[in-house]
């Protein structure tokens, strides 16, 4: 293999690194999956033109380019392998504009999601996408994976918040796609095509995103149930009652036990499953009462909070779920989605798979979206070590069950490297080929995050 | 030109027509634009396999195929020209399933939009997209144009309601794209690519669409203002107050005058502009009061209705706008969108263009989306006659003004045939080429609604 001389590129850059420690760290992301080989260089882009120069250089020399921000991908999507250029956009972190009356923000991709939300709130607005990683993920990364989050039950996913994107294409050219207006139907929806494409179609260097007015009220309901079936039935009852919570989360018994052990709470004493709902707007308190009424016949315990502090305490159980499990060892964070009505069925199936394969699996879910996160505990397996066969088999069984129930491999995390073996099975050959055709059209030399997503 | 023998196709079909009157009528849609030449045949598809056979036949013989439903396109998108096959999907009009607990409907493309909404409401759900043509347009047509509507201020556009599509591709094959779950990020977002593609990328033969719970309350505010600037400022004040109406419509003075003359009302007596807002949910009445409070300092008259009948009366002014203008003669219905904060500016500009070019132009707008409908009155011009030069020049000036203000040629109606001269100007050459590349990938022989959209 020939060694590329990067001088022609690095001489034009403000900042880059080939520190062995940093290159080694770029082989992985938050998934723990480690790419084969070691990348060649990390470009720390400080301008759009540096991104363009980097992509053009990669195109000329046919070098893989892996774009990273917070590297919070849970799928290996941000992991860079042998000879690759790591294009780090975390320094492109400016909020360029918040147009209050247009209810949009113009941001660079490296902006931390929570920072954008915080800045918007100073103007009475907020940024709806709130993935679990909100404090460390970037808006560019949210766009790359079409990230969801807790507020998704009412406010949707990142795609719903993206209006217009500036994208550096695989030849280094810069285009603007989408519309900076609230609506627009001129031309095919290329903005939605780039959202969720995991850096395989282009590099997003600027985004116009939708902001929403901060709702006047917020109320919270937390309820315990004797079984996961009862909790799922309660989630359904909320929809049947015509209610639309902002957040509707479900946590299973094993996870409640882990939380209790980690934080000294006594959640599992109230039941085998917990449901947490939040409502917002001027009718928030009324709607929370209606939620409580709808689920009361099924619950063993119901609490309502109309003050933000108590509400935040009730939601804390959900926030503690992943840390409580991670305290027990390395985890594989899964992310299937099923039709809402199959929620209890899929959770029971996952609990069965846990028994069948002898691996502990904890489950919490965005019940409002049917988006289930089975967390597979890899007991005694260190970071970087291969995932044991029984855990892999359990994950495979979970994917198969999701597809079986009319669901999908991934609700909000993406395919990355880890689920590639499965994507063809979900899409079918014809659609998979169509997707590959689009990839080939936009990235004819296959330099953009090769080996990911498709 | 060779004459195609359609026997091989028609012998496989349940129903088709080559009646000269019907073929002539298929040359046009609700835009009044008439395609060159006359189509060859109308296929009245009664099954997906008939659609596949028709597209495969068209592909084999390289014949243009124009898919139609309600033919309510306002752009010529549904107009069929010389030798074309008209693929009429209006008989594929079944609601296949309403899955109440999943909050989705599975429909054929020929379902009338209002029929779907009505059926959903029987289960406590509703279909959010509500274009003006809701009583005569089809869900397939809504998908083809990514139709918006009055509820768009809160509930978005058709794309936000589309989860999964069955699409017949240009070779006659059938694929499923998107996810029938509430969320899903496996693969590129092909469903969004087909939404708004105006029948140029494939033929949608089945859709899984999102339904929402019918909100418990509904309240309406109607307010008059001394000027369009004051009304637009009031729309902005509503956003600044953290409120999110379902509907936020603005009507200008000339349109109010036309409504008064047609229906004997006295709207213009209260002011030069009217703003109508609706709020929904358990806090609807509270939110309507907050809306009224936010706009009161700017208004000359404010009415609030918390009962549905009075609310419906207040909204009636908006529903009467287009009929009142159409009573005066043939119209050209335009559809630009601008950033919300530029609403007053664009309406004033349009009013100026009306004077400059000596053509009456009426304006109403979805103020919550910055989506403005200038209605150009073609006095004395009969249906089918060419649009006079001054009206065309006025339309061109309106498009230029929209782009100048950072807006778009079309917020919700699409490009069709009528705005094709402008699309390249909005997109720029590079993005236009990218769009053409996608068209070529999906429709290599250019048989799907050629000469439209791009």
């Amino acid at each position: 293999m020939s060694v590329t001389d990067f001088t022609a590129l690095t001489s034009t850059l403000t900042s880059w690194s080939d520190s062995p420690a940093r290159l080694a760290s770029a082989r992985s992301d938050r998934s723990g999956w480690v790419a084969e080989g070691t990348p060649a260089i990390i470009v720390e882009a400080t301008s759009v033109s540096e991104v363009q120069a980097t992509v053009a250089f990669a195109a000329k020399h046919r070098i893989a380019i892996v774009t990273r921000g917070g590297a919070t991908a849970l799928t290996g999507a941000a992991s860079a392998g042998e000879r690759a250029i790591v294009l780090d956009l975390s320094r492109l972190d400016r909020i360029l504009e918040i147009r209050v009356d247009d209810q949009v923000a113009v941001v660079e991709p490296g902006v931390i999601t929570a920072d954008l939300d915080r800045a918007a709130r100073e103007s009475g607005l907020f940024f709806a996408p709130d993935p679990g990683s909100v404090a460390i993920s970037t808006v560019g990364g949210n766009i790359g994976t079409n990230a969801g989050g807790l507020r998704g039950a009412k406010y949707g996913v990142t795609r719903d918040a993206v209006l217009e994107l500036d994208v550096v294409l695989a030849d280094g050219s810069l285009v603007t796609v989408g519309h900076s207006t609230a609506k627009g139907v001129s031309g095919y929806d290329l903005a939605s095509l780039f959202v969720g494409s995991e850096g395989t179609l282009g590099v997003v260097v600027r985004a116009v995103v939708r902001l929403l007015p901060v709702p006047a009220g917020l109320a919270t309901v937390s309820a315990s149930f004797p079984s996961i079936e009862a909790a799922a039935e309660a989630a359904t009852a909320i929809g049947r009652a015509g209610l639309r919570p902002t957040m509707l989360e479900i946590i299973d018994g094993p996870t409640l036990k882990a939380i209790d052990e980690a934080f000294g709470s006594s959640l599992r004493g109230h039941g085998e499953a917990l449901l947490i709902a939040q409502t917002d707007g001027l009718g928030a308190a009324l709607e929370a009462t209606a939620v409580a009424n709808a689920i009361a016949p099924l619950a063993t315990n119901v609490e309502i909070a109309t003050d933000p502090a108590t509400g935040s305490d009730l939601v804390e159980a959900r926030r503690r779920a992943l840390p409580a499990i991670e305290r027990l060892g390395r985890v594989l964070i899964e992310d299937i989605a099923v039709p809402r009505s199959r929620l209890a069925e899929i959770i029971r199936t996952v609990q069965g798979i846990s028994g069948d394969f002898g691996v502990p699996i904890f489950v919490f879910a965005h019940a409002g979206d049917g988006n289930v996160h089975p967390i597979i505990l890899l007991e005694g397996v260190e970071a970087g070590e291969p995932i044991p066969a029984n855990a892999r088999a359990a994950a495979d069984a979970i994917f198969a069950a999701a597809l079986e129930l009319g669901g999908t491999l991934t609700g909000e995390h993406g395919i990355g490297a880890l689920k590639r073996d499965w994507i063809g099975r979900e899409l079918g050959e014809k659609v998979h080929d169509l997707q590959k055709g689009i990839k080939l059209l936009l990235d004819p030399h296959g330099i953009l995050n090769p080996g990911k997503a498709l």
Side-chain angles (χ1 to χ4, degrees), chain A residues 111-444:
Chain A
V111 172
I112 298 291
T113 314
D115 289 346
L116 170 58
D117 188 53
R118 201 172 301 124
R121 283 175 192 270
E122 287 173 17
S123 303
L125 301 169
F126 75 107
F127 182 60
D130 61 340
S133 55
V134 66
I136 48 171
S137 70
T138 64
V139 175
N142 301 160
I143 292 170
T145 52
N146 189 19
L150 297 180
R151 288 191 285 254
K154 184 165 183 178
Y155 294 110
V157 291
T158 302
R159 179 176 297 111
D160 302 306
V162 168
L163 297 174
E164 184 181 271
L165 298 174
D166 281 4
V167 182
V168 174
L169 299 178
D171 62 359
S173 63
L174 178 68
V175 297
T176 301
V177 298
H179 300 87
S180 65
T181 46
K183 276 155 96 178
V185 290
S186 53
Y188 304 137
D189 186 4
L190 298 185
S192 290
L193 195 60
F194 286 106
V195 175
S197 67
E198 304 185 7
T200 64
L201 297 180
V203 180
V204 171
V205 291
R206 192 191 65 112
V208 181
V209 295
R210 192 191 297 273
L211 302 175
L212 296 172
V214 176
L218 188 70
T220 310
V221 179
S222 176
S224 300
F225 298 86
S227 66
I228 201 77
E229 284 80 4
E233 177 63 24
T236 299
I238 291 169
R240 277 197 214 134
L243 305 168
R244 247 190 119 201
T246 314
M247 175 198 296
L248 185 58
E249 297 291 313
I250 202 167
I251 305 174
D252 82 344
T255 307
L256 293 175
K257 180 163 175 277
I259 296 170
D260 286 345
E261 287 172 0
F263 296 96
S265 50
S266 55
L267 296 167
R268 208 183 191 183
H270 293 297
E272 270 304 295
L274 189 73
L275 194 69
I276 304 171
Q278 275 195 324
T279 57
D280 68 1
L282 283 164
L286 285 170
E287 194 166 359
T289 304
V291 165
N293 290 339
I295 65 181
L298 298 151
T300 52
N301 181 55
V302 181
E303 292 176 62
I304 304 188
T306 51
D307 66 300
T310 314
S312 186
D313 284 351
L314 294 178
V315 176
E316 192 62 21
R318 172 63 181 82
R319 288 201 204 91
R320 287 172 168 174
L322 189 57
I325 304 162
E326 287 186 316
R327 186 177 152 268
L328 305 175
R330 187 176 154 198
V331 294
L332 204 55
I333 299 173
E334 289 308 339
D335 168 48
I336 53 174
V338 294
R340 252 180 280 248
S341 62
R342 314 306 287 270
L343 197 58
E345 199 173 345
I346 192 72
I347 294 176
R348 276 293 180 222
T349 303
V350 170
Q351 291 176 341
I353 290 168
S354 171
D356 293 347
F357 293 87
V359 285
I361 309 183
F362 303 82
V363 182
F364 46 87
H366 308 306
D369 299 322
N371 185 191
V372 178
H373 294 306
I375 312 296
I376 303 175
L377 182 63
L378 309 174
E379 287 171 301
V381 183
E382 296 302 315
E385 286 181 13
I387 296 165
N390 63 338
R392 272 187 286 120
D396 282 353
I398 290 170
F399 301 153
L403 296 187
E404 179 73 22
L405 293 178
T408 174
L409 297 174
T410 172
E412 56 182 10
H413 294 171
I415 296 296
L418 285 176
K419 294 190 181 178
R420 281 187 79 212
D421 291 345
W422 277 84
I423 178 82
R425 187 153 154 192
E426 176 172 336
L427 298 180
E429 195 182 342
K430 183 94 189 173
V431 172
H432 201 193
D433 285 349
L434 202 50
Q435 306 249 6
K436 289 175 188 162
I438 286 174
K439 166 72 174 173
L440 195 63
L441 176 71
L442 278 147
D443 181 20

